[in-house]
């Protein structure tokens, strides 16, 4: 029962604010109020409208909202989201485009598990879908997963990525965004040592904390200030009675959202103030810029306690990835084993969550990776969100990522062609190993 009451109290507060918003909106919308030319009724209704919508979104999983994509034939093709690999804590999903032949590019987008749903990458998916077959890691809300399914920590997360990469095959191009960057790197290294042929073709790492000490941010400073005991005491709670995961220890999405908002409290307060005025004046719409952003931003999910705590301890405090001492179920994962996968690092100059240098540290962990398989890009003036979903992504980074994928594919094709041409006759394009007998011609 420990912490369960606290979780239910938070949920009760959320529902109460939602009810207050609905009540205010109803009172301010009565036809009788039109008899009194007082703007306070419009403001009351507007406040209620914005408040009700905001607190309602906090427990709703957003839709992907990608219904069609334009094909090379100039026609709209219907898009459907289909699970390819189903697991207890997350699925591998595919955006299937009807009537379109398989694309040359196959991309796996590794979505963060940091309090938001994978739909946070909606605009990233939409921008890539016309040019590639897209797969995404769709993580589940921990409050909906029964305790009987067991634990889920960074080891399990890494092995999930290993399974997804193995399933998709060696022609996959992995793009990891933010939180999963170090674990996607570890999963690739795990395959490099255990199943080299299952490694992805390319690995693009965007704004992730490979080495949190490379440059301090508010996120890394917080991780340094608190002990693991303090952190567990402050943020870990048990899921309340109304959800399928009742009793599971989690880091609640509502607490995570509170920390998100506190980092830019004045900016968010001003945004909501302006939206209330727009609603009161009749200038707002259901899918205006404010609602499109906050419908996604306010939709949060719980993380398992063991995943959150092990991430803080092993990735941020102990720097297991940065020191190349990361283990999976007790087995050391050597990042330097990555020697065949082309790696592309993308950072934002103004990123205040994963500052420049934190992601770039990944290249130092792969000394045996050829230089022509390494690439890096620092986007001027870009913040954290902009490097994977904003203007910087659309105008600059997306073309660079696609070019990197294509350049590596051409290089691999040329290398295979050269190997076939130089191979001894009769080996079928493969060089004979020492000790092998003559091959019949």
């Amino acid at each position: 029962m420990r912490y369960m009451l606290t979780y239910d109290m938070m949920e009760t507060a959320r529902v109460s604010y939602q009810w207050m918003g609905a009540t205010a909106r109803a009172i301010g919308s009565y036809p009788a109020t039109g008899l009194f030319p007082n703007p306070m009724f419009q403001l009351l209704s507007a406040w209620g409208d914005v408040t009700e919508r905001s607190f309602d979104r906090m427990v709703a999983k957003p839709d992907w909202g990608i219904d069609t994509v334009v094909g090379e034939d100039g026609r709209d093709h219907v898009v459907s989201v289909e699970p390819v690999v189903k697991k207890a804590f997350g699925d591998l999903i595919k955006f299937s485009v009807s009537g379109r032949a398989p694309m040359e590019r196959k991309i796996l987008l590794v979505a963060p598990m940091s309090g938001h749903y994978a739909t946070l990458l909606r605009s990233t998916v939409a921008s890539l879908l016309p040019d590639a077959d897209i797969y995404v890691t769709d993580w589940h809300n921990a409050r909906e997963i029964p305790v009987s399914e067991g634990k889920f920590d960074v080891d399990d997360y890494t092995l999930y990525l290993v399974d997804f990469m193995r399933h998709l095959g060696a022609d996959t191009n992995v793009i990891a965004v933010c939180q999963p960057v170090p674990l996607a790197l570890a999963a690739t290294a795990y395959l490099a040592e255990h199943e080299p042929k299952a490694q992805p073709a390319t690995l693009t790492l965007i704004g992730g904390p490979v080495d949190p000490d490379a440059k301090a941010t508010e996120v890394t400073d917080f991780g340094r200030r608190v002990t693991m005991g303090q952190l567990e005491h402050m943020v870990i709670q048990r899921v309340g009675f109304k959800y399928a995961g009742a009793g599971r220890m989690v880091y609640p999405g509502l607490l995570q959202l509170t920390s998100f908002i506190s980092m830019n409290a004045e900016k968010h307060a001003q945004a909501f103030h302006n939206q209330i005025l727009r609603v009161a004046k009749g200038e707002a719409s259901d899918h205006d810029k404010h609602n499109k952003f906050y419908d996604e931003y306010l939709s949060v999910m719980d993380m398992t306690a063991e995943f959150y705590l092990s991430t803080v301890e092993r990735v941020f405090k102990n720097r297991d990835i940065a020191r190349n001492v990361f283990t999976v179920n007790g087995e050391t994962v050597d990042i330097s084993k990555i020697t065949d996968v082309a790696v592309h690092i993308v950072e934002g100059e103004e990123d205040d969550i994963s500052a420049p240098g934190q992601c770039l540290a990944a290249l130092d962990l792969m000394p045996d990776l050829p230089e022509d398989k390494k690439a890096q890009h620092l986007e001027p003036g870009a913040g954290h969100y902009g490097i994977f979903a904003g203007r910087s992504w659309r105008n600059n980074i997306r073309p660079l990522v696609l070019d990197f994928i294509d350049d590596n594919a051409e290089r691999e094709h040329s290398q295979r062609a050269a190997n076939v041409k130089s191979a001894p006759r009769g080996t079928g394009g493969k060089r004979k190993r020492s000790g092998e007998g003559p091959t019949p011609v």
Side-chain angles (χ1 to χ4, degrees):
M1 293 292 293
R2 187 188 181 202
Y3 304 136
M4 188 174 288
L5 180 61
T6 308
Y7 191 99
D8 279 338
M9 287 177 64
M10 268 198 328
E11 179 65 11
T12 300
R14 184 199 64 78
V15 173
S16 297
Y17 278 114
Q18 184 181 342
W19 170 81
M20 289 170 59
T23 303
R25 180 172 60 84
I27 292 174
S29 301
Y30 274 114
T33 62
L35 298 173
F36 305 95
N38 191 324
M40 285 306 298
F41 287 110
Q42 284 86 357
L43 285 174
L44 179 65
S45 177
W47 177 86
D49 182 85
V50 174
T51 300
E52 180 190 13
R53 181 171 186 142
S54 299
F55 284 93
D56 179 53
R57 294 308 303 167
M58 293 178 185
V59 291
K61 181 178 180 178
D63 292 327
W64 281 98
I66 303 174
D67 300 319
T68 61
V69 63
V70 178
E72 292 182 355
D73 54 7
R75 297 187 297 112
D76 280 349
H77 294 258
V78 176
V79 177
S80 59
V81 180
E82 302 174 355
V84 177
V85 178
K86 301 187 72 171
K87 288 177 171 286
F89 291 89
D91 300 336
L92 176 65
I93 60 175
K94 178 184 180 181
F95 288 80
S96 295
V97 180
S98 65
R100 188 177 78 173
M103 304 291 283
E104 290 186 9
R105 302 187 189 100
K106 183 198 295 183
I107 294 177
L108 167 61
L109 269 174
V110 183
M113 183 188 278
S114 55
H116 284 106
Y117 291 94
T119 50
L120 189 68
L121 300 181
R122 180 188 295 104
S123 60
T124 315
V125 173
S127 69
L128 292 170
L129 194 55
D131 302 299
D133 288 331
I134 303 297
Y135 298 79
V136 179
T137 57
D138 187 26
W139 306 112
H140 297 166
N141 195 329
R143 69 172 177 238
E144 304 293 350
I145 305 172
V147 176
S148 59
E149 294 291 350
K151 72 172 182 67
F152 185 80
D153 58 14
V154 292
D155 289 358
D156 301 302
Y157 187 109
T158 304
L159 292 176
Y160 266 46
L161 296 186
V162 168
D163 288 343
F164 294 158
M165 292 180 190
R166 183 189 292 123
H167 178 84
L168 292 178
D171 59 341
T172 306
N173 300 281
V174 176
I175 301 177
V177 177
C178 189
Q179 170 266 323
V181 161
L183 301 183
L185 187 65
T188 305
Y190 185 94
L191 285 172
E193 189 161 1
H194 294 85
E195 281 185 75
K197 292 183 179 179
Q199 295 177 91
T202 67
L203 181 62
T204 298
L205 307 177
I206 301 179
V210 175
D211 184 3
D213 282 3
K215 186 176 180 180
T217 65
E218 189 173 336
V219 174
T220 59
D221 286 344
F222 174 77
R224 290 293 180 193
R225 287 196 304 268
V226 299
T227 66
M228 294 306 300
Q230 290 172 328
L231 195 63
E232 181 176 359
H233 180 73
M234 288 190 300
V235 304
I236 300 303
Q237 299 177 8
R238 287 189 187 275
V239 175
F241 294 106
K242 68 177 287 187
Y243 296 108
R248 178 178 290 279
M249 300 291 283
V250 298
Y251 177 26
L254 292 179
L255 276 184
Q256 178 79 317
L257 180 62
T258 301
S259 66
F260 286 153
I261 292 178
S262 66
M263 292 176 66
N264 294 284
E266 290 185 12
K267 181 178 179 181
H268 291 298
Q270 188 63 48
F272 279 94
H273 176 264
N274 293 340
Q275 181 69 0
I276 291 171
L277 294 180
R278 282 193 292 268
V279 173
K281 295 175 183 178
E283 298 174 354
S285 63
D286 192 48
H287 297 291
D288 59 22
K289 185 177 180 180
H290 177 94
N291 285 330
K292 284 179 67 176
F293 176 78
Y294 281 102
D295 281 354
E296 186 69 52
Y297 189 81
L298 296 176
S299 297
V300 289
M301 56 182 283
D302 298 348
M303 288 180 280
T304 63
E306 59 272 15
F307 175 78
Y308 175 72
L309 294 174
S310 60
T311 297
V312 173
E313 182 174 23
R314 299 176 60 184
V315 175
F316 287 89
K317 283 184 172 293
N318 297 341
R319 299 171 55 245
D320 286 1
I321 298 288
R323 296 187 297 117
N324 199 18
V325 294
F326 186 74
T327 60
V328 173
N329 292 340
E331 182 179 353
T332 301
V333 177
D334 187 357
I335 308 296
S336 67
K337 296 291 185 181
I338 301 176
T339 58
D340 298 321
V341 180
V343 179
H344 188 193
I345 307 297
V346 176
E347 297 181 314
E349 185 180 40
E350 302 298 329
D351 193 337
D352 59 352
I353 294 179
S354 293
Q358 291 189 11
C359 194
L360 187 61
L363 295 183
D364 294 333
L365 300 174
M366 297 172 282
D368 297 327
L369 184 66
E371 290 301 317
D372 64 353
K373 285 184 173 288
K374 297 179 181 179
Q376 61 187 75
H377 174 71
L378 178 64
E379 180 66 17
H384 186 71
Y385 188 79
I387 57 177
F388 66 87
R391 183 186 308 167
S392 294
W393 164 262
R394 294 191 301 270
N395 296 341
N396 302 325
I397 298 172
R398 174 188 169 278
L400 287 176
V401 171
L402 293 179
D403 287 345
F404 176 76
I405 291 172
D406 293 342
D407 290 345
N408 181 75
E410 291 176 6
R411 189 183 305 115
E412 290 298 316
H413 179 75
S414 299
Q415 183 63 44
R416 285 195 297 268
N419 290 341
V420 171
K421 185 176 181 180
S422 60
R425 186 182 176 192
T427 64
K430 297 181 180 179
R431 295 184 182 277
K432 277 195 297 186
R433 300 174 182 173
S434 60
E436 289 183 344
T439 305
V441 178

